[in-house]
Amino acid sequence: TKDWERLIKYTCLAEPLKTKQKIFASITSNRKRLLDQDNLVGGCKPVLDALKRLGLIVDDSPKWLEIKVNQKTGGDVNTVILLKTEGES
């Protein structure tokens, strides 16, 4: 979890939230082979914990976070995290 926190902190363009607001998150895992959906979603927990500690989300409860988790194969192996507030396109 600390590894995710460091990685997000040094590669993220977002600033910590100044006010409490709901966040819409999209996490895409680019992989060599696909995971079962339950493993994919469960594996995002350390990412969400890091986002909360960094102040990029209020909480990972449905009140404060709507999340979509996707995966695909081909190309570079990486994880892409996109955060938006309500009203952002």
Side-chain angles (χ1 to χ4, degrees):
T1 303
K2 290 288 185 181
D3 291 337
W4 274 110
E5 192 171 337
R6 278 191 292 275
L7 183 62
I8 292 168
K9 183 177 181 178
Y10 294 113
T11 60
C12 183
L13 302 177
E15 294 290 325
L17 293 173
K18 295 184 183 357
T19 60
K20 288 185 174 184
Q21 54 189 310
K22 187 168 188 169
I23 298 295
F24 299 86
S26 171
I27 300 176
T28 302
S29 178
N30 300 302
R31 317 184 55 78
K32 289 188 183 221
R33 65 178 185 84
L34 299 178
L35 294 175
D36 293 339
Q37 188 67 18
D38 58 338
N39 291 329
L40 176 68
V41 173
C44 289
K45 181 65 175 157
V47 176
L48 299 176
D49 291 344
L51 292 171
K52 182 178 177 187
R53 276 197 304 282
L54 291 169
L56 298 172
I57 62 173
V58 175
D59 192 51
D60 59 3
S61 68
K63 177 179 178 180
W64 297 108
L65 181 68
E66 186 175 313
I67 184 169
K68 290 184 180 181
V69 180
N70 304 297
Q71 62 181 326
K72 61 183 181 177
T73 58
D76 293 335
V77 174
N78 60 28
T79 301
V80 177
I81 305 166
L82 179 61
L83 303 176
K84 294 182 181 183
T85 58
E86 200 163 22
E88 280 188 299
S89 53

